[in-house]
Structure formats: C-alpha cells, structure tokens
Amino acid sequence: QKEVEQDPGPLSVPEGAIVSLNCTYSNSAFQYFMWYRQYSRKGPELLMYTYSSGNKEDGRFTAQVDKSSKYISLFIRDSQPSDSATYLCAMTLGGSYIPTFGRGTSLIVHP
Amino acid sequence: DGGITQSPKYLFRKEGQNVTLSCEQNLNHDAMYWYRQDPGQGLRLIYYSQIVNDFQKGDIAEGYSVSREKKESFPLTVTSAQKNPTAFYLCASSIEGLGGSGYTFGSGTRLTVV
C-alpha cells in the first residue's frame, strides 16, 4: 500500500460544476498538506497549503483535511476549462521538508 | 521576477552518453531538489541539497549525480548507468524548514533516449 493514494482519473466535468479531488494516506504523523496544480508539460505550482485538520478557502478553491479519517480534499467551485490540469496532493511529516506526493488526478473541464 | 529556470526544455540522449540538466534559482532558497516524473507514477525524488557543497540521495539516485557548488545552481547529470532515463525531470527549491510548503518548481526538462 502506498503512503498516499490518489485516483489518477481522468475526471471529466462540465463547465460550472463543483469538482471534488481527494487523497487518502496511511501515516497519521503527516501534519502539512498541500495541493499542486500541473498543466501539461509544465512544472507543478502550489495551490493550497494547510496545517492539520480543518478547511482553508482561497477564491474558488477549498482545501479540507480530516486527520481522523486520513483524508484530504480539494474542492473547485464554478469550474472553468482553464482548471483542466493534473492535481497533485502532497504531505509532509512535522520537521521534514520532503513531501510525499500522490500520483495526481487528471481533471478535464469541458465547455 | 524570482523563479527557477530549467534548461534545456527538451533533450535527446544517445545510448551510453552522459547528459547534464541545468537548474538555476534566484529565490535565495536554501534547499533544492530533483524529481523524476513518469506517467502514472507521480514524482520520485532523485537527489536533494539543503546547503551548498552538501547533498543527499533520494529514492531513485542510482544512475544520477549532482553537485551544489553555488546556492543558485543544482545541476543533474544523467549517466550512462541509468538504464531507463526517458522521463520528465523537475527541479524544485524551498526555504528549508517549512514543511514542504515553500516548494517552487521549474518548468521541467523532457529527456528522451534515441
């Protein structure tokens, strides 16, 4: 079992839909949780960063962490074709700066 | 603008050749990293460096070498010992000690063996 599990998709949704992207993990010691967005043939860019459980909102994006279930989510409201990309979750142990990445979920938002 | 520059964007290697991928950052970050990305496998850590003149092996260091002579530069050499080098290579940097939140990635180099 991999430490971080992420469904590779692809996930295809119509423009305007609410998108839910998820990761599960097995190591309860993870404390920092991140979401990266990667466009085709580009490097990932950091979207959201959260510490421990709870929600964090930034515009159309909401990151949610449920440590009791070892489950994190990224919600995208009013999805746009420009949101079409691969979304990678990542998490680190406290005191470490080397994240463990999920495999990424490919999202396609069609007009 | 601050950022990470990787070059070249595309690189072709013949069997038995060593090639070097360039990574330069002007973010004044202490730590730099090299990742390999293959379809369906996510990001795998090759090498990382927390400080000049020091670096550590990641999960898949065999067949690769690095140097860190300057804070701004962290070149990766793919040697002939790397049996399956065709992949997308990503360089990243971070402010040490921020739990991975400060990762900035370059745009990547796509290496193909011909």
Side-chain angles (χ1 to χ4, degrees), chain A residues 11 18 25-26 34 40 49 91:
Chain A
L11 176 63
I18 297 174
Y25 60 95
S26 57
M34 290 140 280
S40 181
Y49 164 75
M91 48 201 77

Side-chain angles (χ1 to χ4, degrees), chain A:
Chain A
Q1 180 191 11
K2 290 177 71 69
E3 270 197 302
V4 178
E5 298 280 0
Q6 186 176 11
D7 187 333
L11 176 63
S12 181
V13 301
E15 182 175 356
I18 297 174
V19 175
S20 173
L21 302 165
N22 311 295
C23 288
T24 59
Y25 60 95
S26 57
N27 190 342
S28 58
F30 284 130
Q31 292 190 14
Y32 299 88
F33 303 91
M34 290 140 280
W35 285 96
Y36 287 84
R37 177 176 62 195
Q38 184 177 22
Y39 291 114
S40 181
R41 292 184 286 276
K42 297 288 186 185
E45 57 179 322
L46 182 66
L47 266 184
M48 301 286 284
Y49 164 75
T50 57
Y51 170 69
S52 200
S53 287
N55 291 359
K56 182 175 182 178
E57 188 173 319
D58 184 1
R60 296 186 295 113
F61 299 89
T62 299
Q64 189 175 79
V65 174
D66 182 348
K67 291 197 74 179
S68 62
S69 302
K70 300 193 188 71
Y71 189 89
I72 68 171
S73 300
L74 178 71
F75 298 97
I76 306 175
R77 291 183 296 280
D78 187 25
S79 57
Q80 303 294 311
S82 58
D83 294 326
S84 298
T86 296
Y87 290 81
L88 298 145
C89 65
M91 48 201 77
T92 61
L93 303 170
S96 169
Y97 50 88
I98 305 290
T100 300
F101 285 90
R103 293 192 300 169
T105 298
S106 174
L107 172 66
I108 301 167
V109 182
H110 51 86

Side-chain angles (χ1 to χ4, degrees), chain B residues 8 13 15 21 30-31 36 39 43 47 55 59 62 67-68 70 83 93-94 96-97 102 104 109 112:
Chain B
R13 191 194 93 167
E15 294 279 355
L21 283 59
D30 299 304
R36 170 179 171 144
L43 297 176
Y47 268 99
F55 48 83
D59 301 319
E62 186 175 350
S67 63
R68 186 87 186 275
K70 299 186 300 182
K83 298 306 179 189
S93 70
S94 73
E96 185 179 349
T104 301
T109 293
T112 304

